[in-house]
Amino acid sequence: DPKLPERAVDLILLVDVYHEFDFPHEMTRAMIRALKPGGRLVLVEYRGEDPAVPIKPLHKMTVAQVRRELGVHPVTFVENIGALPRHHVLVFRKQ
């Protein structure tokens, strides 16, 4: 439980964190509940598709994996910002 009040925040930024959650579905549900309508959930994760990223696969995520896991929640995928050389910056908006 992130202990955030309902409909209280505009943006939740998770940097190299989501893949570490023991209960990602429940955490995501709670974070989305805390977002205001139209609020954004942004995940920054190492690129799982890129074998050249020098980190254990356990600590990487693919775009498809993130979209599949978040796709069951009331959020819409907005974009993958490709500005970082080793990370995805995946933006989702609360519906």
Side-chain angles (χ1 to χ4, degrees), residues 7-92:
R7 296 178 163 214
V9 296
D10 295 309
L11 171 70
I12 297 174
L13 173 64
L14 303 173
V15 179
D16 199 26
V17 171
Y18 179 84
H19 70 274
E20 298 286 353
F21 289 156
D22 288 331
F23 300 98
H25 180 83
E26 291 81 1
M27 280 294 290
T28 301
R29 184 175 56 220
M31 289 184 294
I32 291 169
R33 216 177 16 249
L35 287 173
K36 293 177 183 177
R40 293 170 294 156
L41 176 61
V42 180
L43 278 63
V44 179
E45 290 286 343
Y46 282 102
R47 296 175 189 236
E49 303 87 345
D50 187 350
V53 173
I55 192 165
K56 293 179 182 178
L58 172 67
H59 299 290
K60 298 179 183 183
M61 294 190 78
T62 66
V63 172
Q65 180 183 6
V66 175
R67 290 187 69 177
R68 183 174 52 249
E69 291 188 25
L70 269 66
V72 299
H73 297 282
V75 293
T76 302
F77 176 71
V78 176
E79 65 180 320
N80 179 4
I81 301 170
L84 300 176
R86 294 182 176 171
H87 293 83
H88 295 297
V89 180
L90 302 163
V91 180
F92 294 84

